[in-house]
């Protein structure tokens, strides 16, 4: 009996080197009818706030602008639901499948089955641990949060005279993004003398973060020096708790993954000192662009491991949305193509948000603010 990984390689070889005419000849093999809009459905880990909304809107806008059939299915954080979504996309003969993974391992079987069906699969925002995956597109949650953690360490070392106390507001550790962001923070603080970390689960929720932060403030008599939040919703919840407790902006140093419109507002008011902005609206468009490349040209059209991809190689374009050109900055570039779990990882650019740059027009939290359409 042939090894499954060898079968996948053989099937991939069918796609490699196929030109447009050749792909048209095997359109049935690739899924979808040649006369229809290419069908690129997406299954997301969950819809938790402004970040996910902007992420999905980027996909919707790009698909609308380029004539793709796109839909978003919400797993609500359920692995089994995501497995079911991918299975349904296979049955519907999708031309390519987009996965925002709940976990890095649960969807492996369905991803491998899709690729065995000659349906390419690209993960966005985090990764899936199989060499069958066509590509993943994301910043790298672990290194981004390690950079934020290093900012906290630097603050404590320079601004706090005694041992520093840090509240670590964890996301959902049952999800791959929660695990990766937690690991990044831990990389920065582990082994640092004089730093006392309180790990508190808040599941990416503003309400849980507010409640848990306020409880810790009470138990510690307000003696918290810094807060790490694995997403902006939790950072805002923490800031609300500090305000309720009677603290002023800047009394506690807050560093948060993401850079939502609300987080930008909280940085403007001085509650949050650091954020990390991802090229949120570009993840799904980049993934769809490469799914279309595979559909029409074969896998040889994908960038190779070791390549640096710039706007000279790829430019995401489209119409105006929300009264502005949301594609103007191309802040995903440059991207480095690496190998991870045996497949290509399209590692996009990102930026640490500070008081000097948080309001720049390139930041998705500025682009997708309510004022964007004014």
């Amino acid at each position: 009996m042939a090894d499954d990984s060898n079968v996948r390689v053989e099937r991939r070889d069918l796609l490699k080197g196929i030109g447009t005419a050749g792909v048209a000849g095997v359109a049935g093999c690739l899924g979808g009818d040649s006369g229809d809009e290419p069908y690129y459905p997406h299954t997301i880990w969950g819809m938790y706030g402004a970040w996910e909304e902007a992420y999905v809107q980027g996909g919707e806008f790009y698909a609308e602008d380029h004539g793709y059939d796109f839909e978003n299915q919400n797993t609500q954080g359920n692995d089994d639901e995501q497995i079911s979504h991918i299975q349904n996309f296979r049955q519907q003969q999708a031309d390519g499948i987009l996965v925002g993974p709940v976990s890095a391992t649960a969807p492996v079987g369905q991803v491998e089955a899709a690729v065995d069906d000659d349906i390419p699969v690209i993960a966005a925002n985090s990764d899936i641990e199989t060499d069958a995956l066509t590509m993943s597109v994301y910043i790298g949650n672990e290194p981004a949060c390690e950079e934020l953690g290093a900012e906290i360490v630097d603050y404590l070392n320079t601004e706090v005279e005694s041992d520093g106390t840090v509240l670590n507001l964890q996301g959902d550790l049952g999800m791959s993004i929660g695990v990766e962001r937690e690991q990044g923070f831990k990389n920065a603080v582990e082994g640092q003398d004089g730093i006392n970390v309180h790990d508190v689960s808040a599941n990416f929720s503003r309400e849980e973060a507010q409640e848990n932060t306020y409880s810790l403030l009470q138990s510690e008599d307000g003696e918290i020096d810094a807060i790490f939040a694995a997403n902006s919703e939790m950072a805002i919840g923490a800031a609300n708790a500090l305000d309720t407790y009677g603290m002023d902006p800047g009394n506690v140093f807050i560093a948060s993954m993401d850079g939502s419109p609300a987080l930008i507002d909280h940085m403007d008011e001085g509650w949050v000192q650091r954020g990390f902005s991802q090229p949120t609206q570009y993840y799904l468009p980049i993934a769809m662009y490469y799914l279309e490349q595979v559909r029409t040209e074969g896998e040889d059209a994908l960038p190779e491991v070791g390549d640096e991809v710039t706007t000279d190689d790829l430019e995401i374009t489209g119409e105006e949305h929300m009264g502005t050109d949301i594609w103007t900055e191309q802040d995903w570039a440059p991207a480095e193509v690496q190998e991870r779990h045996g497949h290509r990882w399209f590692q996009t650019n990102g930026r640490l948000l500070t008081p000097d740059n948080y309001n720049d027009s390139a930041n998705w939290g500025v682009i997708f603010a309510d004022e964007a359409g004014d």
Side-chain angles (χ1 to χ4, degrees):
M1 182 176 179
D3 181 82
D4 286 346
S5 62
N6 290 336
V7 172
R8 286 194 295 275
V9 169
E10 290 171 4
R11 290 180 183 273
R12 281 186 165 188
D13 286 343
L14 285 173
L15 292 175
K16 281 185 173 289
I18 296 176
T20 305
V23 170
V26 292
C29 187
L30 293 173
D33 297 328
S34 59
D36 296 336
E37 292 182 340
Y39 176 44
Y40 299 132
H42 173 245
T43 171
I44 192 173
W45 60 92
M47 299 294 292
Y48 293 95
W51 194 96
E52 286 82 6
E53 291 171 7
Y55 164 85
V56 172
Q57 277 186 301
E60 292 172 340
F61 291 152
Y62 186 78
E64 175 185 330
D65 294 344
H66 293 270
Y68 303 146
D69 186 2
F70 171 85
E71 67 171 303
N72 180 59
Q73 294 288 327
N74 184 3
T75 70
Q76 301 183 57
N78 188 303
D79 282 327
D80 291 336
E81 191 72 14
Q82 186 151 78
I83 290 168
S84 177
H85 290 167
I86 300 171
Q87 187 175 33
N88 289 339
F89 297 157
R90 288 173 53 214
Q91 292 172 346
Q92 295 167 33
Q93 296 185 309
D95 292 283
I97 296 173
L98 300 157
V99 181
V102 175
S103 81
T105 55
V108 165
Q110 281 300 316
V111 169
E112 292 176 351
V115 173
D116 286 347
D117 292 341
D118 297 320
I119 302 173
V121 182
I122 295 182
N125 188 48
S126 61
D127 223 321
I128 301 172
E129 296 179 7
T130 172
D131 61 359
L133 194 69
T134 306
M135 190 162 67
S136 57
V137 179
Y138 64 110
I139 179 65
N141 289 287
E142 185 174 330
C145 289
E146 185 168 351
E147 188 169 355
L148 288 165
E151 291 290 309
I152 289 176
V153 171
D154 183 64
Y155 168 78
L156 295 176
N157 288 339
T158 57
E159 301 295 334
V160 179
E161 296 180 359
S162 60
D163 292 349
T165 299
V166 182
L167 169 59
N168 171 28
L169 289 172
Q170 301 168 318
D172 185 345
L173 298 185
M175 297 169 57
S176 58
I177 56 173
V179 172
E180 291 170 5
R181 294 179 183 186
E182 174 72 3
Q183 187 59 55
F185 172 72
K186 293 294 189 183
N187 291 345
V189 299
E190 283 180 351
Q192 297 287 334
D193 293 335
I195 297 179
N196 179 32
V197 178
H198 293 275
D199 296 326
V200 176
S201 176
N203 296 305
F204 294 126
S205 165
R206 182 183 301 194
E207 292 74 18
E208 288 188 45
Q210 182 168 340
E211 179 181 341
N212 293 337
T213 300
Y214 192 80
S215 294
L216 189 65
L217 286 165
Q218 290 180 311
S219 66
E220 296 291 315
D221 294 326
E223 296 298 320
I224 298 176
D225 300 298
I227 296 172
F228 169 76
N231 77 344
S232 55
E233 285 294 298
M234 294 192 297
I236 294 163
N240 291 343
L242 294 174
D243 190 19
T244 301
Y245 193 76
M247 289 191 171
D248 294 325
N251 286 164
V252 177
F253 185 95
I254 299 180
S256 172
M257 186 63 183
D258 299 336
S260 70
L263 191 87
I264 297 294
D265 289 342
H266 279 68
M267 292 190 76
D268 195 48
E269 295 167 5
W271 288 106
V272 177
Q273 284 66 47
R274 298 290 186 274
F276 199 97
S277 183
Q278 304 181 68
T280 306
Q281 76 271 26
Y282 288 101
Y283 282 168
L284 289 175
I286 290 169
M288 269 188 275
Y289 171 84
Y290 282 117
L291 285 178
E292 180 69 0
Q293 291 293 101
V294 172
R295 186 182 76 87
T296 58
E297 299 182 31
E299 283 200 12
D300 276 347
L302 296 175
E304 294 296 335
V305 171
D307 288 351
E308 180 182 73
V309 182
T310 71
T311 53
D312 290 335
D313 308 301
L314 169 64
E315 185 174 5
I316 298 298
T317 61
E319 303 298 325
E320 283 196 356
H321 298 278
M322 306 182 303
T324 189
D325 182 1
I326 68 171
W327 317 113
T328 186
E329 297 292 345
Q330 302 290 308
D331 63 332
W332 61 268
E336 301 289 337
V337 182
Q338 302 186 39
E339 181 175 325
R340 194 167 195 220
H341 307 304
H343 61 253
R344 295 172 177 86
W345 170 23
F346 190 97
Q347 185 180 22
T348 64
N349 193 25
R351 66 165 62 183
L352 180 73
L353 300 183
T354 72
D356 294 328
N357 70 1
Y358 73 90
N359 211 25
D360 286 359
S361 60
N363 302 331
W364 77 267
V366 175
I367 294 171
F368 282 80
D370 291 340
E371 294 79 17
D374 293 346

